[in-house]
Amino acid sequence: MSSFIYNFKYLLLNLVLFYILVIQSSLEARRLTESDDQSQQPLLFQYHNGPLLNGKISVNLIWYGRFKPSQRSIISDFITSLSSSSKPTITQPSVLKWWSTVEKYYKLNNKPSSLVLSLGSQIMDENYSLGKSLTSKQLVKLASKGAQNNAINVVLTASDVAVEGFCSSRCGTHGSASGSIKRSKFAYIWVGNSETQCPGQCAWPFHQPIYGPQSAPLVAPNNDVGLDGMVINFASLLAGTATNPFGNGYYQGPKDAPLEAASACTGIYGKGAYPGYAGELLMDPTTGASYNANGVDGKKYLLPALFDPSTSTCSTLV
């Protein structure tokens, strides 16, 4: 009898422990499910009540170092392709269609506005006036050479120019600086040509990546790994400048390391993209080059996905 009671108590104890484990497992499963649901929530951009660029804005180019005319036309034609005046003659999908996602941000607040970009002046500094190793302060100094009223000044450094933080932590940057007029600010962008310094970091997917999943590099649409890589970074920074020009526009996360319209979608160029794979892209039947946007004068570009505020997802052209 005592043996039966012992066995019964033992069985009862095991049942109690079993149910405790079931309850704990259920709670853990619920926590994991809740965690997964939270991680799958759409990324929400916040507007920090700062001014955006408005009206007609000139994009001025400061070429630092030596660039071929054909290289300069890749960038200048990209800017020209952003204008609505190019719309009737451009094959779809177009650079202008890509930019239409940025324009959605200008319709979100209580005072909808518009932004019209056009190619401004081009300044050549082929003699490396500040040397071949630049600091961040020197980039701002170069950017200030362009007109500062109703403008975005873009500094483009050649492949033989070293820049503070280039390759190690950044491929380019955008920001704002004090203008020549009291209490004024102007927006600027810097992008470097990574062809000889770090193409695997700043010109992917046109070069083998230096880390992460390995895949064969794509053929650059303008047959220039360095410049086609610059277009990707410039386009990303231009979108960030338009939506967050002075650090208090649209972004998510901390102010000193924000996720912006393009940086929130890094590495995505077409549908089905994943780390190491750019996504489904268009291919030029003659050159085999991969691209997703058409521009003026028959130019083709690979442009990054943009965070679409109307769908809270990364939007691609193809």
Side-chain angles (χ1 to χ4, degrees):
M1 184 70 176
S2 60
S3 177
F4 172 78
I5 294 173
Y6 173 80
N7 289 335
F8 178 77
K9 288 181 177 180
Y10 181 76
L11 178 62
L12 183 62
L13 178 61
N14 282 340
L15 286 173
V16 171
L17 290 174
F18 173 75
Y19 281 115
I20 289 173
L21 289 173
V22 169
I23 292 171
Q24 287 180 334
S25 297
S26 298
L27 289 172
E28 289 300 323
R30 182 177 178 182
R31 291 192 192 103
L32 287 171
T33 302
E34 289 175 349
S35 176
D36 289 343
D37 288 344
Q38 290 173 358
S39 67
Q40 292 173 7
Q41 290 295 321
L43 184 64
L44 298 177
F45 268 41
Q46 297 176 351
Y47 177 49
H48 296 79
N49 301 314
L52 302 181
L53 301 177
N54 189 31
K56 296 181 179 180
I57 301 293
S58 296
V59 182
N60 303 314
L61 304 178
I62 298 95
W63 299 93
Y64 190 81
R66 295 186 177 89
F67 290 87
K68 299 175 183 177
S70 59
Q71 292 179 316
R72 294 198 296 268
S73 70
I74 294 172
I75 300 291
S76 59
D77 283 350
F78 168 69
I79 297 170
T80 302
S81 301
L82 295 167
S83 170
S84 59
S85 62
S86 65
K87 185 177 181 179
T89 59
I90 303 299
T91 303
Q92 296 299 321
S94 67
V95 172
L96 186 61
K97 183 180 179 182
W98 172 80
W99 189 250
S100 66
T101 299
V102 173
E103 294 175 338
K104 291 182 181 181
Y105 286 84
Y106 280 71
K107 300 174 183 178
L108 294 178
N109 54 32
N110 296 328
K111 296 180 179 179
S113 57
S114 62
L115 174 63
V116 180
L117 299 181
S118 63
L119 180 63
S121 61
Q122 298 192 54
I123 299 171
M124 311 294 178
D125 189 340
E126 296 184 328
N127 295 320
Y128 308 89
S129 62
L130 299 179
K132 290 189 176 183
S133 182
L134 304 177
T135 64
S136 295
K137 288 185 178 180
Q138 288 175 316
L139 291 177
V140 175
K141 184 177 181 180
L142 288 171
S144 66
K145 289 185 176 184
Q148 299 173 10
N149 188 34
N150 296 323
I152 301 171
N153 291 340
V154 184
V155 177
L156 302 144
T157 51
S159 59
D160 59 348
V161 177
V163 177
E164 180 182 350
F166 188 38
C167 295
S168 63
S169 61
R170 57 183 183 170
C171 302
T173 192
H174 83 87
S176 61
S178 298
S180 55
I181 301 175
K182 190 176 181 180
R183 295 181 180 178
S184 68
K185 285 187 175 183
F186 69 93
Y188 70 89
I189 295 172
W190 158 69
V191 182
N193 185 343
S194 66
E195 183 178 13
T196 60
Q197 298 184 53
C198 56
Q201 185 170 343
C202 295
W204 184 85
F206 303 126
H207 191 279
Q208 200 81 14
I210 60 173
Y211 55 84
Q214 299 294 306
S215 58
L218 304 179
V219 177
N222 295 289
N223 197 33
D224 192 315
V225 170
L227 265 292
D228 280 301
M230 289 183 81
V231 169
I232 291 174
N233 297 318
F234 174 45
S236 176
L237 293 165
L238 187 61
T241 300
T243 55
N244 187 31
F246 306 110
N248 51 10
Y250 288 97
Y251 66 88
Q252 180 74 0
K255 185 176 182 178
D256 56 348
L259 286 178
E260 298 179 326
S263 59
C265 304
T266 300
I268 301 174
Y269 300 94
K271 292 179 181 178
Y274 54 82
Y277 175 59
E280 299 175 11
L281 303 173
L282 301 175
M283 181 178 288
D284 187 304
T286 303
T287 64
S290 296
Y291 68 101
N292 60 8
N294 293 282
V296 299
D297 292 335
K299 290 288 197 308
K300 293 178 173 60
Y301 299 100
L302 184 64
L303 303 179
L306 295 175
F307 183 80
D308 189 330
S310 65
T311 61
S312 295
T313 60
C314 291
S315 174
T316 60
L317 282 172
V318 295

